[in-house]
Amino acid sequence: MKLINAIRMGGTEILPLVEGGKGVAVSNGVTAGHWAAGGGAGTFSAVNPDNYDAEGHVISPVYHGKTRRDRHEELIAYAIEGGVAQAERAYEISGGKGRIHANILWEMGGAERVITGVLERTKGLVNGITCGAGMPYRLSEIASKFNVHYYPIVSSGRAFSALWKRAYSKAANLLGGVVYEDPWLAGGHNGLSNSEDPGKPEAPFPRVLALRKIMREFGLGETPIIMAGGVWALEEWEDWIDNPELGPIAFQFGSRPLLTRESPIPASWKERLRTLKPGDVFLNKFSPTGFYSSAVNNSFIQELRGRNERQVAYSPEPVGEHVVEYGVGARKRSVYLTAPDYARVRDWEEAGYVDALRTPDSTLIFVTPAKAEEIHTDQVNCMGCLSQCRFSNWSQEPPEYDNGKKADPRSFCIQKTLQDIAHAAPDDLDALDHNLMFAGHNACRFGSDPFYSNGFIPTVRELVDRILTGK
């Protein structure tokens, strides 16, 4: 195994080891601080981040606003406070070593306002901004305002080229690195394009090499590329290390820091990671963002799959084969189905799926009354956690504050489910099965890696030391 040497990133020499960005409620600043203390780049999530009281307990946000717009303002205020608290905690633990990065999603609600609010109050504490989920053209502008480095997350050289030509070339000196996130293997939301098949993964080496060639054309031959998604043991990436074709490479670890003593996720979640098998994690397109995402195939995902499969097209008037009248909703307003679809609907109703919900695509889905009530309640309680949400039809753009489409019941409230699983009781196995559990595709390796045998859970520092051995 080759020795892992420090590289220059973010204006200083650090180990080429980067903690993954995580997401809603899976970050508290502690793992970031310890990761940085180990010599790498620790990352806390500024995506609707949790705040904590003096005893370290999560401060549950309470929304008082009567409108979605009012609750959106409360959400931004909560996020700024949580981000500041996590940055301060991470920096204090790091002792000024390594780097502290804040991770944001460009498509999160109020992204620019949140990260600006955090950086205004954490000068000298946060060294970089990592950002993906969309095309964050203004990321370099925000970084320049606060003199911090920025790390765009891309899944292709083409995406980076567009960002560079439009904006990043104006702030080249603060481009700390480019995160290549494997769209087939990384956990959470992925950047699969319309031309890429989710069922046909492509090897990362040629895609990263293509990214490097584009970066060299822009004079960025020494700017690190951070490989994210599918990274477990460095010995499996030995041909990437000190490879002159690729140039400086760092490696991002998203799944492995979840199973550490400092990780804030519940004990039940940590134990579930040990039991994952190959195939338990898969790509789906249920997210209200419209992006593909990688999650554990549990009852939550299976219900969404069933919800989408119990779907038929309808016509508001009899036309063509759509001649069978069917009443929708409490008022039984008439729509028209085909005869075969009507037969399917009757079967679903006999199984208890008696509530028909309209989608923006002129289809009906069929759910139980309890699920229909839950969907309606979640849509009403929306606080704008995304810049655009297909589940609730929210848009943060004034004056309408909606995306111009009907709310889509085939999706779900992503903030609610991510907070519910992260804040679950230590022994609440039901919460794991009935909420969204993001995971990278390598999460199934916890159960077979001898490092975790006999129930061992490492500290972050022990994990970093283990990673440095190549294992």
Side-chain angles (χ1 to χ4, degrees):
M1 175 65 199
K2 293 179 182 177
L3 290 175
I4 304 298
N5 298 312
I7 64 173
R8 188 160 189 82
M9 189 169 77
T12 192
E13 298 285 322
I14 65 170
L15 291 174
L17 307 180
V18 179
E19 182 184 15
K22 300 173 286 297
V24 175
V26 187
S27 159
N28 60 5
V30 176
T31 62
H34 285 290
W35 194 282
T43 307
F44 71 91
S45 173
V47 183
N48 300 333
D50 284 335
N51 198 356
Y52 297 82
D53 62 22
E55 286 73 41
H57 301 129
V58 173
I59 301 173
S60 297
V62 178
Y63 294 91
H64 302 283
K66 294 183 179 180
T67 68
R68 297 196 299 185
R69 182 179 177 183
D70 290 341
R71 293 191 294 272
H72 181 63
E73 293 300 314
E74 293 179 87
L75 176 136
I76 290 172
Y78 280 128
I80 292 172
E81 292 300 322
V84 170
Q86 293 198 26
E88 292 174 343
R89 177 183 285 182
Y91 184 80
E92 181 180 357
I93 293 171
S94 74
K97 298 179 181 177
R99 300 276 90 177
I100 299 295
H101 293 173
N103 180 64
I104 64 171
L105 303 179
W106 197 245
E107 296 301 328
M108 77 185 198
E112 294 181 61
R113 293 173 61 191
V114 169
I115 194 59
T116 296
V118 171
L119 293 175
E120 283 176 343
R121 294 168 53 186
T122 58
K123 293 179 181 178
L125 307 184
V126 176
N127 309 112
I129 319 168
T130 305
C131 184
M135 293 293 281
Y137 292 110
R138 297 190 62 189
L139 179 63
S140 57
E141 180 182 332
I142 297 170
S144 297
K145 180 179 179 180
F146 295 98
N147 195 35
V148 299
H149 288 82
Y150 62 102
Y151 299 81
I153 301 173
V154 301
S155 295
S156 69
R158 182 177 64 255
F160 177 74
S161 179
L163 290 166
W164 176 263
K165 292 176 180 178
R166 179 167 173 177
Y168 294 174
S169 59
K170 301 172 186 176
N173 62 313
L174 289 176
L175 180 63
V178 178
V179 182
Y180 171 79
E181 186 176 72
D182 189 298
W184 290 276
L185 296 177
H189 289 108
N190 293 3
L192 278 168
S193 70
N194 293 331
S195 62
E196 293 163 336
D197 188 338
K200 295 181 180 179
E202 298 177 14
F205 188 93
R207 293 171 66 92
V208 172
L209 182 59
L211 171 60
R212 174 60 75 189
K213 289 179 178 177
I214 289 173
M215 290 174 64
R216 285 187 173 126
E217 292 176 6
F218 301 144
L220 303 172
E222 295 305 310
T223 299
I225 294 175
I226 302 165
M227 177 62 210
V231 180
W232 186 269
L234 290 182
E235 64 184 1
E236 299 165 356
W237 300 81
E238 194 166 5
D239 58 335
W240 288 53
I241 300 170
D242 296 329
N243 185 320
E245 278 192 293
L246 293 177
I249 292 287
F251 298 92
Q252 180 169 301
F253 296 82
S255 295
R256 294 191 73 171
L258 290 177
L259 192 55
T260 57
R261 294 183 205 172
E262 297 90 345
S263 169
I265 66 173
S268 54
W269 189 345
K270 293 179 182 181
E271 188 58 33
R272 180 73 178 97
L273 290 172
R274 297 178 182 278
T275 66
L276 294 177
K277 301 291 189 297
D280 283 350
V281 179
F282 82 116
L283 290 170
N284 67 86
K285 208 171 184 182
F286 299 129
S287 171
T289 63
F291 294 117
Y292 276 94
S293 68
S294 178
V296 174
N297 184 18
N298 57 9
S299 293
F300 177 83
I301 292 292
Q302 291 161 16
E303 190 280 326
L304 283 167
R305 185 185 295 115
R307 196 190 305 178
N308 280 260
E309 289 173 350
R310 292 187 300 274
Q311 183 170 192
V312 295
Y314 72 86
S315 171
E317 298 176 352
V319 59
E321 295 182 356
H322 287 78
V323 294
V324 181
E325 188 174 8
Y326 182 78
V328 177
R331 297 183 180 182
K332 298 299 180 184
R333 292 180 175 175
S334 293
V335 298
Y336 296 87
L337 312 177
T338 67
D341 281 346
Y342 180 72
R344 296 166 66 204
V345 167
R346 294 301 300 272
D347 289 340
W348 296 334
E349 289 178 333
E350 289 181 9
Y353 303 105
V354 297
D355 279 28
L357 305 180
R358 298 174 191 254
T359 79
D361 300 321
S362 296
T363 65
L364 301 174
I365 65 166
F366 288 80
V367 297
T368 65
K371 180 58 64 174
E373 182 178 358
E374 177 188 329
I375 290 170
H376 176 70
T377 300
D378 288 347
Q379 289 172 335
V380 169
N381 290 339
C382 173
M383 72 290 290
C385 71
L386 299 173
S387 63
Q388 302 277 337
C389 179
R390 65 174 182 165
F391 174 68
S392 68
N393 90 333
W394 161 265
S395 169
Q396 67 183 27
E397 298 300 322
E400 291 84 4
Y401 292 97
D402 70 59
N403 61 16
K405 299 180 180 179
K406 292 180 181 178
D408 194 337
R410 293 170 295 189
S411 190
F412 57 94
C413 177
I414 193 164
Q415 173 162 278
K416 171 194 165 185
T417 186
L418 290 176
Q419 289 182 331
D420 283 354
I421 189 172
H423 297 157
D427 59 350
D428 189 352
L429 299 179
D430 192 60
L432 299 184
D433 199 37
H434 292 92
N435 284 292
L436 180 65
M437 187 191 298
F438 277 148
H441 285 245
N442 266 349
C444 63
R445 297 181 63 172
F446 282 114
S448 59
D449 191 323
F451 183 58
Y452 301 96
S453 61
N454 299 317
F456 176 65
I457 297 179
T459 64
V460 170
R461 189 57 183 268
E462 287 171 335
L463 174 60
V464 171
D465 289 344
R466 173 71 171 185
I467 289 171
L468 288 171
T469 69
K471 302 295 183 181

